Amino acid sequence: MFNPGLKIGQIVKNADIVEIFKCGNMGGTRRSRTTNTLVIVSDYTKGLYHDKWIGGVLH
């Protein structure tokens, strides 16, 4: 099982995400076949979407 070694609240840069997850560097959803992961980028500060966590699930 893939373990990225990240901690809750840890601040990472876009380049870090690309390196850690071996995924693309653009877009809100980034699939990596290498690590078998899906990275979802959500920025609540831009107000484009109304992201919220409900019961441990991002809506």
Side-chain angles (χ1 to χ4, degrees), residues 8-25:
I8 293 175
Q10 180 178 343
I11 296 173
V12 294
K13 295 180 181 176
N14 191 47
D16 299 327
I17 293 170
V18 172
E19 177 63 27
I20 292 167
F21 291 94
K22 310 292 187 236
C23 63
N25 64 353

Side-chain angles (χ1 to χ4, degrees), residues 21-24 29-39:
F21 291 94
K22 310 292 187 236
C23 63
T29 57
R30 305 173 187 188
R31 172 84 164 104
S32 172
R33 295 189 192 281
T34 303
T35 60
N36 194 30
T37 55
L38 177 64
V39 176

